Amino acid sequence: MTPPRLLALVLLALVGAAADAAPERPNIVLIVADDLGYADVGFQGAEDIATPHLDALAAGGVRCTDGYSSHPFCSPMRAGFLTGRYQQRFGYVSNVPYAPQNDFIGLAKRETTVAQRLQGRGYVTAAIGKWHLGASHSYHPLRRGFDHHYGFLGGGHDYFEVDLSKPVHEGYKDALQRDGQPEGLDGYLTDRLSDAAVEFIDARAGGERPFFLYLAYNAPHTPLQAPDEWLAKCAHIDDPKRRTYAAMVAAMDAGIGRVLGQLEESGVRERTLVAFLSDNGGPEKSNASDNGPLRGQKGDVFEGGVRVPLVVSMPAVLKAGETYREPVNSIDISCTALALAGVPIEGRPEFDGVNLIPFFKGERAGPPHRELFWRKGDGEGWAVRSGKWKLLQMKGFDPALFDLSGDVGEAENIAKAHPDVVSELLAAYSAWDADNMEMQFPSYREYHEELGEVYREMIGR
Ligand code: CA
């Protein structure tokens, strides 16, 4: 046997031995839906919306029954998600106003994003879709750790139209951006986001460097708009609002199917972490979403505002068809990705999330967190969950206690029967909140109503 041939065999054996272990610097694909209801995908029990690709993703990985967003609405959740921290740590507790000319409002520049950390580990990074973390020059995704960007910088976008006649449109029709250059929109936005994701993965084929794709669909956030082709496939739904919503979800599912297909085609599916979740609970009234048995909707600290569909899949590491029932948080997903890329997480105060892999594999017992916390604004609503207990307070009311093990709909306030639990959770919440910053910028509404004049002056209109 010639030495090169022997070497090749030894290398093959080494590759074989390594196949069972966690791959070094795996690829990472984090997919976020916008305002998707808890019960609106097949793997969560939806019967009127077909989501075959997401269902296959869930069947091939770990479905979290008690998966949570770190915030009941869009922008703060994304700030937490892209830092691995509770966004309250840096005062990000309201929706960032869409203010391309204001260079002081966005994800705090002193925070290090997950993308920056992954760049530091040699990753090629891309943000595709909705940003909503500051729309001005220095908050741009290309300056926050992403090598590539395609999408829009605000909190939502029209699915069919772009108005290129104005440099800054106040509505949802601003030009799309591709790596800093304005662009029109041909066809359906959800399809174009899927295209960009597929192209990014395809372009990495055979590359030496691992990749990180943050794919943030705005579907099924309003405006409710869907192509005729998908509306026709949802013709069995009588309510036109729900029909359009379902068509938007189904179109997103098809796009995710294409992304997963490209990972297979590129030969990297086994060693790619793919996670899917919604950024918050469904706003049932505005987009006809359905949070199933959960009380409340987007904006609430009730379960309907924060509990979301959540799936994690990585065939080389995680068994298929698992269901995980301990509470987990969206910030855990980013910390899990970082841990897989070799960034130390445990015991570091700059992270609030944990690496979920050992918990999913049964190597670590018990819940990943003693408590999970939520707070919006400067305390207009907050909640803490510990085990089966959830304590929740809306401004102006006494704290309410629920036992989620028998009352997932949070119907019966049992605070009076368990004063010890109430005081324990109250103390835990106060201790957590003591490390938080107060709100750092005005909400979208305050900004545009109270500062609207200043804003219009700034943009010269
Ligand atoms: Ca949202």
Side-chain angles (χ1 to χ4, degrees):
M1 191 176 286
T2 59
R5 192 173 153 80
L6 180 64
L7 181 66
L9 282 175
V10 169
L11 282 175
L12 271 175
L14 285 173
V15 168
D20 292 335
E24 194 191 347
R25 295 191 307 165
N27 302 309
I28 295 160
V29 177
L30 305 183
I31 308 174
V32 178
D34 196 352
D35 291 6
L36 177 70
Y38 184 69
D40 286 334
V41 281
F43 70 81
Q44 292 287 95
E47 290 178 350
D48 58 345
I49 308 176
T51 55
H53 302 289
L54 283 167
D55 298 350
L57 182 70
V62 181
R63 178 178 80 94
C64 297
T65 58
D66 294 40
Y68 288 96
S69 163
S70 67
H71 210 85
F73 50 85
C74 305
S75 182
M77 177 275 177
R78 289 151 203 273
F81 194 60
L82 283 190
T83 55
R85 315 185 67 194
Y86 276 120
Q87 58 282 354
Q88 291 87 353
R89 302 295 192 214
F90 45 96
Y92 203 123
V93 286
S94 59
N95 269 341
V96 69
Y98 184 56
Q101 273 75 7
N102 184 323
D103 208 30
F104 299 96
I105 295 183
L107 173 59
K109 292 169 196 169
R110 65 184 172 277
E111 295 298 322
T112 307
T113 70
V114 168
Q116 286 168 319
R117 292 184 194 278
L118 291 173
Q119 274 183 331
R121 296 284 303 158
Y123 278 70
V124 183
T125 59
I128 293 171
K130 166 166 161 172
W131 180 239
H132 212 195
L133 291 168
S136 68
H137 182 79
S138 56
Y139 291 101
H140 195 281
L142 294 176
R143 283 174 196 82
R144 304 312 302 270
F146 290 99
D147 300 311
H148 301 281
H149 169 247
Y150 172 70
F152 56 94
L153 301 176
H157 203 281
D158 193 280
Y159 290 86
F160 290 109
E161 271 186 64
V162 157
D163 180 357
L164 292 170
S165 67
K166 301 185 185 79
V168 177
H169 195 282
E170 285 188 45
Y172 275 6
K173 295 186 182 178
D174 263 9
L176 297 171
Q177 290 197 17
R178 193 183 297 270
D179 294 336
Q181 297 303 314
E183 219 180 79
L185 170 59
D186 182 17
Y188 190 51
L189 180 56
T190 299
D191 294 339
R192 296 297 80 79
L193 300 182
S194 304
D195 289 347
V198 167
E199 283 160 21
F200 172 73
I201 296 167
D202 189 28
R204 306 276 83 70
E208 299 272 301
R209 295 167 62 193
F211 61 81
F212 166 45
L213 168 62
Y214 170 51
L215 174 56
Y217 286 101
N218 54 319
H221 192 292
T222 55
L224 292 177
Q225 297 171 329
D228 292 341
E229 173 206 351
W230 285 104
L231 287 169
K233 287 178 188 165
C234 297
H236 56 283
I237 301 174
D238 291 335
D239 172 23
K241 209 165 156 181
R242 175 80 180 168
R243 190 189 312 137
T244 311
Y245 171 84
M248 295 167 78
V249 174
M252 176 180 69
D253 178 76
I256 291 169
R258 289 173 51 217
V259 170
L260 297 173
Q262 184 59 52
L263 291 173
E264 292 281 358
E265 205 178 310
S266 295
V268 297
R269 178 66 190 94
E270 292 282 312
R271 52 191 175 81
T272 299
L273 172 80
V274 180
F276 171 82
L277 71 164
S278 179
D279 69 336
N280 47 253
E284 293 178 326
K285 287 172 195 154
S286 75
N287 72 354
S289 52
D290 181 4
N291 295 320
L294 309 181
R295 180 174 178 179
Q297 58 170 352
K298 174 182 179 179
D300 293 330
V301 287
F302 285 113
E303 294 290 282
V306 290
R307 202 192 283 208
V308 294
L310 200 163
V311 165
V312 180
S313 156
M314 191 173 182
V317 172
L318 297 172
K319 273 198 286 183
E322 298 277 304
T323 301
Y324 189 74
R325 299 188 184 279
E326 297 286 358
V328 301
N329 196 329
S330 48
I331 56 180
D332 296 329
I333 301 302
S334 14
C335 287
T336 300
L338 288 173
L340 284 166
V343 177
I345 298 295
E346 201 160 331
R348 288 178 66 184
E350 61 266 51
F351 298 115
D352 291 304
V354 302
N355 175 14
L356 294 174
I357 299 294
F359 292 95
F360 288 160
K361 292 178 81 171
E363 295 165 359
R364 287 184 72 169
H369 299 270
R370 192 179 151 92
E371 294 102 2
L372 288 181
F373 302 98
W374 296 268
R375 189 197 83 188
K376 59 173 189 166
D378 280 338
E380 63 182 275
W382 59 261
V384 49
R385 175 166 179 186
S386 181
K388 66 177 187 174
W389 300 110
K390 172 131 171 239
L391 187 75
L392 174 155
Q393 184 164 26
M394 307 296 282
K395 202 171 186 175
F397 295 88
D398 287 336
L401 181 71
F402 302 101
D403 175 356
L404 296 179
S405 66
D407 180 22
V408 77
E410 296 169 290
E412 194 188 349
N413 175 9
I414 50 175
K416 284 202 171 70
H418 301 278
D420 50 333
V421 178
V422 171
S423 49
E424 194 184 312
L425 294 184
L426 204 51
Y429 174 77
S430 301
W432 172 78
D433 199 36
D435 287 337
N436 290 333
M437 283 173 71
E438 56 186 39
M439 199 151 80
Q440 292 299 294
F441 49 77
S443 72
Y444 177 87
R445 188 167 293 130
E446 286 166 337
Y447 187 82
H448 285 281
E449 284 175 5
E450 295 170 23
L451 304 177
E453 218 164 293
V454 180
Y455 173 69
R456 272 187 284 276
E457 206 167 287
M458 276 195 311
I459 66 170
R461 292 167 53 191

